[in-house]
Amino acid sequence: GNLAMAGALGFYAAKLDLPSEQEQWFPDDHMVQKFIFASDDYLQSDASAYPTLNLVWGAQDSIRRPKYIRWLPDENRGEAKFDQSFDLADPAAFRAVLDACAALQAKSCEAKGCMPLGKLVQPGSVICPVAEFEAWHVERYNVSASTLGAGSAAFYSRLVDFRATTTPQLDPYRSWGEMIGVIDGTFRYLVVESAMTLGFEEANPIKADVLRVLDEYMETIERPPAAAKVFQVSSVWVWFVTQGALLEGMLVG
């Protein structure tokens, strides 16, 4: 009897999953629940309602931190490592980033977390430094920046000039400082920024479906030798991993 009971409990425990939607702790007419409903409907900026998705070239997706202690997360966070082979001036690399920007904006997504828009990112939300640099360069020099050639000093001098004298069209009150990474006068990395259609508070199963679509998109990005390493970063995946670990801990101890 006890063995059968243990087997049955183990079977049903293995079928447990995280909620597919946010829990509702109060009835619809409860004042707290009414406040939650009102908060969901309250007008807010896209930056507040949806997580930012960043594509990063030029940096490694791992950090060297030998002295890091997980129980002291704010100390000894480590040093970023950069991709020494990244050369945005290389025509193939330049084109790969431009194409990635266009493909990201156009990427369809049938997952529940992307509805009702059916897109991976919000329409018109992609901030692509390379696209704006190219338009600026053509207007100023009457030629594509990609014609300057791999390793071109003129390319990087003009990129730094563009970074210092212009702002993103979608957010003119920001600078390019965090997206066009210049460290000690040397260009190191590039970030393409967008706003996802996935909500911050969606449950893990919904996020997992969107992550699969994102992974599919990442596989389509061209990776020439001068831009071979690119990865995606979003704060939404931090809690996604944490929730998964909580579930695993409950099942296996």
Side-chain angles (χ1 to χ4, degrees), residues 29-158:
D29 59 351
H30 193 283
M31 65 178 183
V32 172
Q33 192 60 44
K34 287 182 178 180
F35 175 78
I36 294 173
F37 287 151
S39 298
D40 290 341
D41 295 335
Y42 187 77
L43 183 63
Q44 56 184 334
S45 69
D46 286 348
S48 299
Y50 302 98
T52 297
L53 172 66
N54 289 336
L55 304 181
V56 184
W57 285 264
Q60 304 278 8
D61 60 356
S62 60
I63 298 176
R64 185 189 302 108
R65 45 184 180 183
K67 298 181 180 179
Y68 179 74
I69 301 174
R70 67 173 65 185
W71 314 118
L72 301 171
D74 292 332
E75 299 180 13
N76 300 315
R77 295 176 64 86
E79 299 178 359
K81 296 186 291 184
F82 298 101
D83 179 9
Q84 302 301 322
S85 65
F86 179 50
D87 181 8
L88 187 60
D90 183 283
F94 194 82
R95 174 51 56 187
V97 177
L98 279 175
D99 290 347
C101 290
L104 178 61
Q105 188 65 83
K107 178 61 179 177
S108 61
C109 174
E110 299 301 321
K112 181 179 179 181
C114 296
M115 295 300 158
L117 295 176
K119 295 289 187 179
L120 182 60
V121 299
Q122 296 285 335
S125 71
V126 176
I127 301 179
C128 185
V130 171
E132 295 193 39
F133 173 58
E134 172 72 345
W136 174 87
H137 195 277
V138 170
E139 180 179 358
R140 174 166 293 197
Y141 298 102
N142 200 33
V143 65
S144 170
S146 63
T147 63
L148 296 175
S152 169
F155 177 97
Y156 289 112
S157 174
R158 294 172 185 181

Side-chain angles (χ1 to χ4, degrees), residues 199-236:
F200 268 114
E201 297 183 354
E202 294 288 4
N204 255 32
I206 293 175
K207 291 175 181 174
D209 289 340
V210 175
L211 181 57
R212 280 189 283 270
V213 175
L214 177 55
D215 287 341
E216 292 172 2
Y217 161 75
M218 295 300 296
E219 290 296 322
T220 68
I221 296 178
E222 293 292 330
R223 290 172 166 81
K229 297 177 181 178
V230 54
F231 60 93
Q232 59 89 5
V233 180
S234 178
S235 59
V236 73

